[in-house]
Amino acid sequence: MLRQYIGQFLNLLRDDDLHVRRMALVTLNSTAHNKPALIRDHMEEILPNLYKETTIKLKREVEMGPFKYPVDDALDNRKAAFECMYTVLQSCMDRVNIFQFLDHIEIGLKDVPDIKMLTYLMVLRLVHINPNAIMLKLESILEPLRDTFQSKLKDICPIGQEVEKVQELKRSAMRAVVALSKISDIEKHPVFIDFMKKLRANKETDLLLEQELQANQASYDDMVFSMDH
């Protein structure tokens, strides 16, 4: 019964109203998660609208007393679009052009912290399902990761956000790096070699790398133990 309304629903992804599109994206995400069969045959129509939403920014300044704060009215829509991409990665990946998908992951890697963390999760997933595509895009993935590690607090988060959020962003980025390091023969790639040398040369990122490597090994050991018992 729901199939007969899919065309009307897809039109909402192109609506001029920002809020209508956001609700359509939320519905799309839920559908991709719970009823992927409803949308699998429509991915060619869905993805261009989804990708377009990841690029839209509507910035303005809001005055609060003597201060001005930046606001992006399209941020919630971009978050919803990247959340959809993450769900599509799990449920409809066989209907996706991987290189177009990666082009928009690259965009997310340079966005605000919440979106960056979503794209780190997608990198983690893609390392397992399509490492060859990751290798072909390696340089453009590593560059924004490097920028995250080199950024200062004021560069990552607006005024008033906690230091802990910045630390979690860097931990999430490092988990993506550890996942990348597991790809076969990546240790021979000159771009990755240079990237890792620079991480190791910095005390903060070297310590963070060691912590994530240990956590990764502990998770693996726990998995093996549970399988043996």
Side-chain angles (χ1 to χ4, degrees):
M1 181 179 177
L2 292 174
R3 290 181 187 276
Q4 62 183 304
Y5 299 108
I6 196 71
Q8 297 175 38
F9 166 71
L10 294 178
N11 287 333
L12 298 178
L13 293 170
R14 298 187 291 269
D15 198 274
D16 292 334
D17 190 300
L18 195 70
H19 303 291
V20 171
R21 295 203 309 274
R22 185 183 310 152
M23 295 310 299
L25 289 165
V26 171
T27 303
L28 175 63
N29 190 39
S30 177
T31 304
H33 183 74
N34 296 299
K35 298 281 187 181
L38 287 175
I39 61 170
R40 286 176 61 82
D41 293 338
H42 300 275
M43 294 307 294
E44 286 188 6
E45 184 177 354
I46 289 170
L47 287 172
N49 295 301
L50 191 57
Y51 293 154
K52 181 179 179 180
E53 205 71 54
T54 67
T55 66
I56 297 173
K57 295 183 180 181
L58 298 172
K59 293 184 176 181
R60 59 189 173 92
E61 285 189 337
V62 175
E63 291 188 9
M64 295 182 66
F67 303 104
K68 291 183 178 180
Y69 295 94
V71 173
D72 183 350
D73 291 327
L75 177 57
D76 286 342
N77 280 46
R78 292 203 311 281
K79 286 181 183 177
F82 280 105
E83 287 168 358
C84 284
M85 285 179 62
Y86 180 69
T87 305
V88 164
L89 186 59
Q90 297 175 299
S91 62
C92 304
M93 197 58 204
D94 59 321
R95 302 299 177 96
V96 171
N97 179 309
I98 186 61
F99 294 106
Q100 288 181 352
F101 194 90
L102 279 168
D103 284 343
H104 291 273
I105 286 181
E106 290 172 31
I107 291 171
L109 288 168
K110 300 172 184 177
D111 211 312
V112 299
D114 287 346
I115 291 175
K116 284 182 179 180
M117 286 195 276
L118 276 170
T119 55
Y120 298 156
L121 290 173
M122 286 189 262
V123 170
L124 285 169
R125 177 73 174 152
L126 283 168
V127 162
H128 295 289
I129 64 177
N130 202 327
N132 292 333
I134 290 285
M135 286 292 282
L136 290 171
K137 289 278 192 176
L138 186 61
E139 187 169 1
S140 56
I141 290 171
L142 291 178
E143 180 183 351
L145 285 170
R146 183 186 298 112
D147 290 343
T148 293
F149 294 127
Q150 293 176 345
S151 296
K152 305 298 182 184
L153 174 62
K154 64 181 179 63
D155 299 323
I156 298 178
C157 286
I159 296 171
Q161 293 191 351
E162 304 85 354
V163 173
E164 176 57 31
K165 185 164 187 177
V166 177
Q167 293 173 337
E168 178 54 33
L169 177 68
K170 292 188 176 185
R171 285 194 293 268
S172 296
M174 194 61 80
R175 283 192 283 273
V177 171
V178 170
L180 289 168
S181 71
K182 307 294 184 183
I183 297 177
S184 178
D185 291 333
I186 197 171
E187 72 280 0
K188 300 174 185 176
H189 197 297
V191 172
F192 191 73
I193 292 170
D194 180 65
F195 178 84
M196 293 303 289
K197 280 182 179 178
K198 290 177 178 175
L199 282 187
R200 288 296 194 182
N202 180 283
K203 288 184 179 180
E204 179 189 353
T205 52
D206 185 50
L207 176 61
L208 186 58
L209 176 59
E210 285 299 325
Q211 290 172 343
E212 290 303 325
L213 285 169
Q214 290 173 16
N216 186 267
Q217 184 60 47
S219 297
Y220 176 78
D221 292 344
D222 288 344
M223 181 183 69
V224 172
F225 180 81
S226 64
M227 291 173 65
D228 289 343
H229 290 79

